[in-house]
Amino acid sequence: MISAPLWQTKLFGMAAGLAILLEVTIQPGLGLQLLLLAPLIAILGLPHGALDLPIAEVLWPLKGWRGKLRFLAVYLALAAAVIVLWIVLPGVALVAFLAYSVLHFSDDWADASSPLKWTGGTATIGAPALFHPEEVAALFAQLSAPAAAEVSTYLAVFAGALALGIFIATCIVRPEARSQAAVEQAMLWGIAALLPPLLFFAVYFCGLHSLRHFTVTIQSVPRARRALAISALLSGLVVFVAVMFQFSQPTSDLGETSKLSMQTIFIGLAALTVPHMLLVERFGRLRKHLL
């Protein structure tokens, strides 16, 4: 990615401030956090991934509707394979999801020096685990078996502690590293300490990651207005499918409803992230070559 504009950092700070105010005044429980997270991801998070079809049109000659259908078939097959893996081996799927999330989110600081790129990506997963290990373990347990959730939490806590140490050391010994990326990562650690994990994820994913990726992509694909229309349509379809799935499940128990919401949001994100990552990586290499 190219160097991020300063307004994105400021907007991220404003989103963080609003979330901290919400936490201080309301202290939302898990149910309300999920109720807030779902529409935020649907409105602010999904559109950046829904630009994958315009990205694919830049990468390959998807001629006509048949070409687009073939791409969508492969894309959805990859996503379905992730869901199947989660059903068969949920522990493996959870660890893999956390690992490739770190890799993907690191790209938000691709213009920073190498330590800050990786400390940023690691902080997105490791920071909430370091400050709220019990809450993170409980959330992971809704996505996997308790033993796998416990191991995943230990790994995330270790990675978070290591990343924080490297981040602080880098900022101390390398003055040139005290950049916009360092400011954003300091904010990440701060909101991770002050917010519950789900609110932290909502602020980061919607307030920085999705916004940054969407801005770069929409500036790089041809026919931006058409790409926006495609993004809105595909986002709407994904939300519709998720809502229909949620309402089709016969449960009235609040705990089961929360668990189902967690699984719908995060397993859905995990499934869509795999083909999304592959496209973004290839698109990023193409952009660097053209620049």
Side-chain angles (χ1 to χ4, degrees), residues 9 109 111-113 116 167 177-186:
T9 306
W109 297 279
D111 59 308
S113 59
L116 291 190
F167 171 68
R178 301 166 197 167
S179 59
Q180 181 181 346
V183 171
E184 290 175 353
Q185 290 180 37

Side-chain angles (χ1 to χ4, degrees), residues 82 85-86 89-103 152 270 274 277:
V82 175
L85 175 64
W86 213 297
L89 295 170
V92 173
L94 176 59
V95 172
F97 173 49
L98 297 177
Y100 64 70
S101 293
V102 167
L103 179 64
S152 298
V274 170
M277 275 184 63

